Amino acid sequence: MKYALVTGGSRGIGRAVAQKLASQGWPVIINYRSNDEAARQTLDAIVAAGGQAELLPFDVTNRAETDAAMEQWEQQHPDDYVAVLVNNAGIRHDAVMFMMTDEQWHTVLDTSLNGFFYITRRLLKHMMPRKRGGRIINMASLSGLKGLPGQTNYSAAKAALIGATKALAQEVAARGVTVNAVAPGFIATDMTSDLDEGELKKLIPAGRFGRPEEVAALTAFLASDEAAYITGQVVSINGGLYT
């Protein structure tokens, strides 16, 4: 059986992506670090809607923990593999650079970049043999394309993820694996709850923040068979804020 794995899948965009993939028939692995309650709510919502899902907690920034969690999963699913990986885990620690701490810098980059590296490297060995194929979708950001003041760390992490997306896509295309990035603008989630939505939406041609479900719909398309010839791309979803 082919599974879909969503990192940071307990809340916000990750939850919406997990629910959308499950609604399309994918058995979904919901990864999260520590919020058991939110993860259980996501699982319950998927099951209540008739989907299949399971929880797999591990810290994507920790290589040993990531490998151990996936090793255990693989032992429990000897005939299955992860065919869709959504690298959604990410955090913000905003600050102007001259006041930014080492921890704010490293934590943000570790989550977006090391998290992408550890889990993607692990799963590629199952996607690539005998051209089994797969889909890797990396959650980038408007910040990684445009750069946003107060987010030097986040912009750097997401810009690097975009570069990695383009490079990896070329490495694995011949094996039937596509690698794309989704670059949301301002989306109404817990991560953006501290922002001044009233002021920021004045800058957005669409006049509003996006919804997690809209990002999920785009992600699910990139995970589908219909997107088999799309790879190495960065698809923006930002209401026209940056085109």
Side-chain angles (χ1 to χ4, degrees), residues 51-218:
Q52 293 179 260
E54 58 188 82
L55 303 180
L56 191 63
F58 62 88
D59 182 352
V60 296
T61 70
N62 186 310
R63 180 191 58 79
E65 193 173 320
T66 299
D67 283 343
M70 291 312 306
E71 179 70 25
Q72 181 179 16
W73 187 88
E74 289 161 6
Q75 290 176 359
Q76 294 171 348
H77 299 78
D79 298 321
D80 307 325
Y81 79 104
V82 175
V84 173
L85 169 62
V86 181
N87 285 304
N88 172 73
I91 57 172
R92 285 176 43 225
H93 284 305
D94 294 355
V96 290
M97 190 170 186
F98 81 93
M99 297 181 64
M100 187 174 290
T101 66
D102 289 358
E103 181 181 7
Q104 287 173 316
W105 175 264
H106 288 294
T107 302
V108 169
L109 267 73
D110 282 349
T111 304
S112 286
L113 292 182
N114 288 344
F116 153 79
F117 174 63
Y118 293 144
I119 189 62
T120 304
R121 179 179 61 178
R122 173 86 194 192
L123 296 183
L124 275 173
K125 69 178 184 179
H126 298 295
M127 292 183 184
M128 293 176 65
R130 300 182 300 280
K131 294 187 178 180
R132 296 175 79 176
R135 301 283 184 268
I136 298 169
I137 300 108
N138 299 319
M139 202 59 65
S141 172
L142 167 72
S143 188
L145 290 168
K146 181 181 183 292
L148 292 174
Q151 290 191 343
T152 303
N153 50 359
Y154 194 70
S155 295
K158 295 304 186 179
L161 187 61
I162 288 169
T165 296
K166 292 176 178 291
L168 181 60
Q170 297 173 69
E171 294 180 8
V172 300
R175 298 299 185 117
V177 179
T178 67
V179 189
N180 293 289
V182 173
F186 292 109
I187 308 297
T189 66
D190 291 348
M191 184 177 283
T192 59
S193 61
D194 62 325
L195 301 178
D196 188 340
E197 183 173 349
E199 287 299 314
L200 288 171
K201 70 182 183 181
K202 296 176 184 178
L203 306 175
I204 303 169
R208 64 175 178 87
F209 275 22
R211 303 191 312 274
E213 293 78 13
E214 293 172 312
V215 181
L218 171 58

Side-chain angles (χ1 to χ4, degrees), residues 13-37:
I13 291 174
R15 172 180 288 181
V17 169
Q19 291 177 310
K20 183 65 173 180
L21 291 173
S23 75
Q24 296 188 341
W26 287 97
V28 177
I29 305 166
I30 303 164
N31 161 259
Y32 66 103
R33 186 178 64 179
S34 59
N35 195 331
D36 294 310
E37 181 179 358

